[in-house]
Amino acid sequence: MKAGREPAASDPVARLYVDVPLPHLDRLFDYLVPAELADHVGPGSRVRVRFAGRLVDAYVVERAGMSDHPGRLAFVERAVGTEPVLTDETAALFRAVADRWAGNFVDVVRLGVPPRHAAAEKSRAPESGELPSVGPAGFERYRAGTAFVSAVREGRPARAVWTALPGESWPERLAELARIASDAGRGAILVVPDARDLDRLDAASTVVLGTGRHVALSADLGPAERYRRWLSVRRGEVRVVIGTRAAVYAPVADLGLVAVWDDGDDLHDEPRAPYATTRDVAVLRSAQTGAALVLGGFARTAEAQLLLETGWAHEVSADRAAVRSVAPRVQALGDDVELGRDPGAAAARLPSLAWRRTKEALDAGAPVLVQVPRRGYVPSLACARDRTAARCSVCAGPLAARRANDVPACRWCGRPAGDWRCPACGERRLRAVVVGAGRTAEELGRAFPGFPVRTSGGDRVLADVPPEPAVVVATPGAEPVCPGGYGAALLLDGWALLGRADLRAAEETLRRWANAAALVRPGAPVIVGADAGVPTVQALVRWDPAGAAVRELAERTELGFPPAGRMASLTGTPTAVGEFVAAAELPPDAAVVGPIPVTGDTERVLIRVPRASGALLATRLKEAAAGRSARRSAEPVRIQLDPTELG
């Protein structure tokens, strides 16, 4: 402590969270504000304090006149900058997210508050341009669409699940909603899965809002630019934020609208603790602030369906006549009619129907979209004789080939395996188990000579393609936009998506298919490489994402899986997980599943409770984590509530 320091004359106590991400330290600590910092330390300030002998960052939540702490209080060492980084609303949000997902306040702060960049604090947002003249929002085609637009305009807390029509210009619709909220004197946050979607939304927002009235926030920005843009929002200079995952935490003043596009995309799943998804944070923020909420997409998640069935949100969707007028013509390769014409269609990767539709579209001067579940040349290999999976002799990872004539190599450790021999039968020949985008592009180039073949996926994602004849091979989520739409689409290897050992396989498959099919012209053919009798295929054929979501939620409810119930995943060594489960005072209705081996000496335990006990489960897990943290347990246990992947 510096000699001679005196506490501030008014409200000398700062209540703050120290930036030490240990569960047993996730609480408020009291420090004295020195008189010389009285005007620089307030609610929301970032400061430095001495904690356990170290100088650490901390976040002030409030100033108070006295402390309940019986001992002597240390002084705040210094203020970090002059800009408050928390608002009352975001501080409450960070606390609520940490509590709901059994995490720490400072972990959520790291997601929502970018690191300080001193030079950025000296900048100011540029002057706004002229406000463009725009027409009415394009929600007239949707039932309850006009009512939702009116609610946003009037500042009412309406919540909607919007099922967009195929071919819908969703960036324009979201930008129009933001404009309505902005014109009403409220702020808006629009969140999309990736940078490519953000670029489209940024362009639409500039047209609808004009220049200088919105900022785009994403992890791709440099630290200075990201902090500068974030500060312009915190200061109230800009009221509309668009961005990827972390933008849902943006400190928008007078928030009137939160929108999430394609909430089922796994890019909305936060990979850092406490692992909250964008959709769930948006729902929580809407509930806390009274802001309107819209979850939009071409497909619908079980979580969105639960919001509808509980009455918390309302459906915004088109009637069947409107859907039929713009939907593509979807046909499965394995339907009875096509099997009658081509008995080999079920086994062929590019049967005659797909070849015919592709050739017709190309000859008509239109591009054709081909969606392939995996990128690469041959992402998975097996013995040509007995189909035994080909694995690395060193680390047991799967073998793959990047290009034709390449020596197979391990996808885990990268070691070449030119001398591979099947451990079961001794065969040296390999065959493809899953054919990737690279191999598919090569095959299609031979099948349709004279037409260019473009690929999009991995580190080479195309934003758009011109409306001219070409075969465009893309992995899910990397499909380029084509002005006017594609002339046809082939959704290959459907079994590779539907056959995944994942609770969400059917929902995710339909989402990926719908996103690709929505890029096709009205009435144009979409060929699905899957059995026509599969319910997921039928949902695409009928373009019925709502019916698929109803069925998905019913199945999850029967199993007690999220979102019908809440589930926690505990991952760590067998000893650590066993100790954690034994120490946790789980709710009486909790069901423990496992342990389940993960990799090496790591295992996973799943804990399932009814939804009503979800908050108690999070509390008990947090208490158990705090106990282990206080005892300085050496082996960590990863806690994840409502995991999106259960395996």
Side-chain angles (χ1 to χ4, degrees), residues 202-217:
D202 191 23
S205 298
T206 300
V207 171
V208 175
L209 293 165
T211 59
R213 287 186 172 81
H214 76 281
V215 295
L217 298 178

Side-chain angles (χ1 to χ4, degrees), residues 357-368 448 451-452 468-471 487-488:
R357 297 293 179 258
T358 300
K359 189 67 167 60
E360 290 167 0
L362 292 172
D363 289 342
V368 175
F448 302 101
F451 294 101
E468 56 190 36
V471 177

Side-chain angles (χ1 to χ4, degrees), residues 247-469:
V248 75
Y249 297 103
V252 175
D254 299 319
L255 187 62
L257 172 71
V258 183
V260 180
W261 175 255
D262 200 9
D263 65 286
D265 194 310
D266 59 10
L267 291 175
H268 283 304
D269 300 336
E270 177 55 59
R272 295 170 292 177
Y275 315 109
T277 67
T278 302
R279 174 194 54 247
D280 296 341
V281 175
V283 168
L284 184 59
R285 192 161 188 184
S286 172
Q288 285 188 325
T289 63
L293 171 76
V294 58
L295 304 177
F298 294 116
R300 184 184 297 175
T301 60
E303 286 80 3
Q305 183 62 31
L306 180 65
L307 297 178
L308 294 176
E309 294 189 7
T310 57
W312 195 84
H314 298 279
E315 184 174 14
V316 173
S317 61
D319 58 30
R320 292 307 301 173
V323 172
R324 285 192 294 269
S325 69
V326 295
R329 189 174 73 257
V330 182
Q331 187 172 355
L333 290 176
D335 69 13
D336 293 339
V337 174
E338 187 56 30
L339 285 176
R341 294 176 180 169
D342 182 5
R349 188 153 188 265
L350 191 67
S352 59
L353 173 66
W355 190 92
R356 292 197 309 271
R357 297 293 179 258
T358 300
K359 189 67 167 60
E360 290 167 0
L362 292 172
D363 289 342
V368 175
L369 176 63
V370 181
Q371 186 193 71
V372 182
R374 297 169 187 255
R375 66 178 185 268
Y377 190 79
V378 183
S380 187
L381 297 169
C383 173
R385 179 183 296 173
D386 63 10
R387 308 299 192 263
T388 298
R391 294 194 170 275
C392 176
S393 60
V394 177
C395 71
L399 300 185
R402 288 184 176 272
R403 291 175 294 274
N405 303 319
D406 270 10
V407 174
C410 178
R411 291 170 57 190
W412 290 358
C413 69
R415 288 183 173 85
D419 59 349
W420 182 87
R421 189 182 296 273
C422 177
C425 68
E427 176 64 59
R428 298 183 64 90
R429 292 176 301 139
L430 292 163
R431 71 183 298 272
V433 177
V434 179
V435 178
R439 172 73 173 271
T440 301
E442 184 180 291
E443 293 175 351
L444 292 171
R446 290 195 297 265
F448 302 101
F451 294 101
V453 178
R454 299 183 173 94
T455 59
S456 179
D459 56 358
R460 293 184 66 255
V461 177
L462 303 177
D464 50 49
V465 293
E468 56 190 36

Side-chain angles (χ1 to χ4, degrees), residues 7-201:
S10 176
D11 293 334
V13 177
R15 292 192 173 130
L16 52 82
Y17 288 99
V18 293
D19 194 356
V20 182
L22 295 175
H24 71 289
L25 301 178
D26 185 36
R27 61 183 180 84
L28 290 172
F29 290 88
D30 289 353
Y31 279 77
L32 286 176
V33 178
E36 67 270 19
L37 295 180
D39 295 333
H40 303 288
V41 174
S45 295
R46 184 158 30 192
V47 298
R48 297 278 279 175
V49 299
R50 195 161 295 280
F51 187 85
R54 295 187 301 124
L55 205 58
V56 300
D57 284 339
Y59 300 92
V60 178
V61 174
E62 63 176 333
R63 290 271 298 267
M66 61 181 61
S67 172
D68 296 330
H69 181 66
R72 185 180 180 184
L73 298 182
F75 278 95
V76 171
E77 291 292 322
R78 63 184 177 88
V80 180
T82 59
E83 301 276 355
V85 295
L86 303 180
T87 67
D88 290 344
E89 191 256 312
T90 57
L93 176 67
F94 296 163
R95 183 68 269 168
V97 170
D99 291 342
R100 180 172 174 78
W101 283 276
N104 301 326
F105 181 89
V106 293
D107 283 336
V108 188
V109 171
R110 288 197 186 102
L111 302 178
V113 178
R116 179 180 180 244
H117 197 281
E121 294 182 351
K122 301 174 183 177
S123 65
R124 286 288 183 259
E127 292 292 327
S128 300
E130 184 177 348
L131 192 64
S133 176
V134 296
F139 281 87
E140 299 87 351
R141 296 190 294 172
Y142 300 93
R143 291 173 296 190
T146 302
F148 180 74
V149 169
S150 297
V152 174
R153 181 177 291 111
E154 296 165 9
R156 291 186 278 117
R159 286 105 184 200
V161 174
W162 170 39
T163 306
L165 286 166
E168 178 65 272
S169 180
W170 59 265
E172 293 182 30
R173 301 291 85 78
L174 294 184
E176 289 164 355
L177 290 176
R179 171 66 183 269
I180 291 168
S182 179
D183 287 349
R186 307 289 296 277
I189 297 174
L190 314 178
V191 191
V192 295
D194 58 32
R196 196 166 58 107
D197 290 331
L198 183 57
D199 288 341
R200 294 183 63 194
L201 182 58

Side-chain angles (χ1 to χ4, degrees), residues 566-639:
R566 293 205 73 191
M567 178 174 288
S569 168
L570 307 178
T571 307
T573 65
T575 301
V577 172
E579 290 176 353
F580 193 106
V581 174
E585 297 182 9
L586 299 176
D589 49 4
V592 179
V593 180
I596 306 163
V598 181
T599 57
D601 61 347
T602 302
E603 68 180 23
R604 175 182 300 138
V605 164
L606 301 177
I607 303 173
R608 189 170 57 196
V609 298
R611 194 161 189 82
S613 299
L616 179 59
L617 173 64
T619 299
R620 294 293 169 79
L621 294 178
K622 180 66 178 294
E623 290 171 350
R628 297 185 78 250
S629 173
R631 294 191 299 272
R632 299 185 179 180
S633 297
E635 297 180 325
V637 173
R638 181 190 188 198
I639 306 171

